[in-house]
Amino acid sequence: MIDLPKNIHIIERGWLSANQIYIYDHASIDVVDSGFCFHGQQTIQLLQSFLDQHPSLKPRQLFNTHLHSDHCGGNRALQDAFQFTCLVPESEFTSVRNWPLAQQSFEYLGQPCPKFTATKSLKIGSTIQIGSFDFEIHGTPGHHAHSILLFAPSLGLLISADALWEKGFGALFSEVSDRSGFQEQRATLQLIESLPVKVVVPGHGNPFVNIQSALDNAYSRLDYLESSPQRNTHHVAQVLFQFMVMFTEKLSLEDGLNWCLKTPLFRMSADQLGLSIEELFSQTLEYLQNKQSLSFTDGKIKHRW
Ligand SMILES: [Zn+2]
């Protein structure tokens, strides 16, 4: 168990929801990321029980590292329950203020996210106060074009979201959508390497201090994916599909195929691989079944927890 600085509390969430970070001072609490929408009630309860133990704290600001539904899907629930002011990366601010645009970006991945409001943006290159600490905001494209990381120099604390995990990083969606993911992810890893990081709080999994080993691992994963762009594209399709099966819980073969047919990034993946959507659907299903991630029994596709 890693000792985190005082006034920083990690809520390590399970599948579907990204980790949440509570950062507070004597009077207010700020929250980084909000989990997946289907876990909204749990997200509220977790914060409420923390506030019950710290009655002097008033909810203040909610920050999003990036607008993927496992990181911002609980925004609406938290805003309705606690009246948080929400801050999103600057390049997403306009789309959140004009919700149909944000909605489109969630539909692009075939994922739900209830409408929320943002009143301020997080500008890359600037510093922002979270709790009583100053955090630098850095852009980390690769997994998500507009993703940011938050780094507190006084603590050596890095909130890395999906740019760096202890074992790897989030799927490189940008390589499928814009052919830029490999290059961007490498620059993101180099950026992290250049920061005096002592502890990383990732978007998924435990906080960790073995920074160099995580970076070595990530570079080697990146080399592996880059050596076969086709493998990376398959991986993107698999991650998208598996996430959908997790939140749907069980679905028919027909519903599975229909989701693939209407999800733009899945369709784009098939196109890049020179496969029909039906072919990529059945290859993805077969791969995830062989990997024991999914089961297909009694006509239903289910996630194997
Ligand atoms: Zn993500």
Side-chain angles (χ1 to χ4, degrees):
M1 193 68 185
I2 288 166
D3 278 340
L4 287 163
K6 201 169 165 278
N7 294 356
I8 296 189
H9 184 77
I10 311 298
I11 304 286
E12 196 185 330
R13 307 290 299 263
W15 285 107
L16 287 175
S17 281
N19 292 339
Q20 292 186 268
I21 303 125
Y22 299 167
I23 306 177
Y24 49 100
D25 55 24
H26 64 286
S28 307
I29 182 166
D30 295 328
V31 175
V32 179
D33 286 339
S34 64
F36 189 63
C37 55
F38 292 4
H39 297 167
Q41 262 322 99
Q42 188 191 33
T43 303
I44 291 171
Q45 281 161 9
L46 285 164
L47 180 57
Q48 189 56 60
S49 74
F50 189 84
L51 291 173
D52 290 345
Q53 293 161 40
H54 300 80
S56 62
L57 298 180
K58 297 271 173 294
R60 186 170 51 187
Q61 300 182 101
L62 170 60
F63 298 84
N64 289 130
T65 55
H66 62 298
L67 299 192
H68 273 161
S69 58
D70 55 333
H71 290 256
C72 65
N75 280 14
R76 171 68 175 272
L78 283 181
Q79 285 193 308
D80 284 352
F82 300 103
Q83 290 84 45
F84 276 102
T85 301
C86 178
L87 292 89
V88 297
E90 189 183 28
S91 44
E92 302 276 35
F93 188 63
T94 307
S95 64
V96 173
R97 303 279 287 179
N98 181 9
W99 188 256
L101 290 176
Q103 180 69 37
Q104 232 174 40
S105 71
F106 295 111
E107 283 166 5
Y108 182 72
L109 302 178
Q111 296 171 6
C113 183
K115 182 179 176 185
F116 60 89
T117 55
T119 43
K120 289 186 195 162
S121 67
L122 299 165
K123 192 173 166 52
I124 289 168
S126 69
T127 295
I128 191 153
Q129 192 177 335
I130 309 181
S132 57
F133 305 108
D134 282 342
F135 279 81
E136 297 171 1
I137 301 167
H138 296 271
T140 54
H143 164 66
H144 183 292
H146 306 296
S147 189
I148 56 152
L149 62 72
L150 296 163
F151 178 63
S154 65
L155 306 171
L157 180 90
L158 170 67
I159 297 174
S160 65
D162 294 340
L164 180 69
W165 300 333
E166 191 167 15
K167 297 266 162 60
F169 44 80
L172 298 178
F173 297 138
S174 305
E175 186 56 36
V176 177
S177 54
D178 302 308
R179 303 272 186 182
S180 59
F182 298 139
Q183 204 184 338
E184 289 170 346
Q185 181 62 19
R186 196 167 295 282
T188 286
L189 295 178
Q190 285 162 351
L191 163 75
I192 294 173
E193 206 166 10
S194 74
L195 299 171
V197 180
K198 292 186 190 144
V199 56
V200 177
V201 179
H204 302 270
N206 289 311
F208 58 90
V209 293
N210 49 339
I211 322 293
Q212 195 53 53
S213 136
L215 281 165
D216 291 346
N217 209 299
Y219 279 122
S220 118
R221 170 93 184 137
L222 180 58
D223 291 342
Y224 171 78
L225 293 171
E226 196 167 12
S227 67
S228 168
Q230 286 210 331
R231 185 162 49 205
N232 181 67
T233 306
H234 272 292
H235 178 65
V236 164
Q238 288 150 8
V239 166
L240 277 180
F241 190 78
Q242 191 175 355
F243 189 84
M244 179 276 293
V245 175
M246 274 196 262
F247 70 71
T248 310
E249 291 181 2
K250 63 178 178 183
L251 74 168
S252 67
L253 216 49
E254 190 189 358
D255 287 345
L257 176 60
N258 281 338
W259 178 88
C260 295
L261 288 165
K262 69 176 198 299
T263 298
L265 194 59
F266 194 94
R267 292 206 311 260
M268 209 178 275
S269 303
D271 194 43
Q272 274 188 18
L273 290 163
L275 298 171
S276 68
I277 292 162
E278 289 80 358
E279 283 167 335
L280 182 57
F281 166 62
S282 68
Q283 288 184 18
T284 301
L285 197 56
E286 192 186 338
Y287 175 88
L288 292 172
Q289 267 181 285
N290 289 341
K291 212 182 134 207
Q292 315 270 312
S293 299
L294 298 183
S295 65
F296 179 59
T297 43
D298 304 328
K300 296 286 179 197
I301 305 167
K302 289 184 205 165
H303 180 69
R304 293 181 67 155
W305 295 98

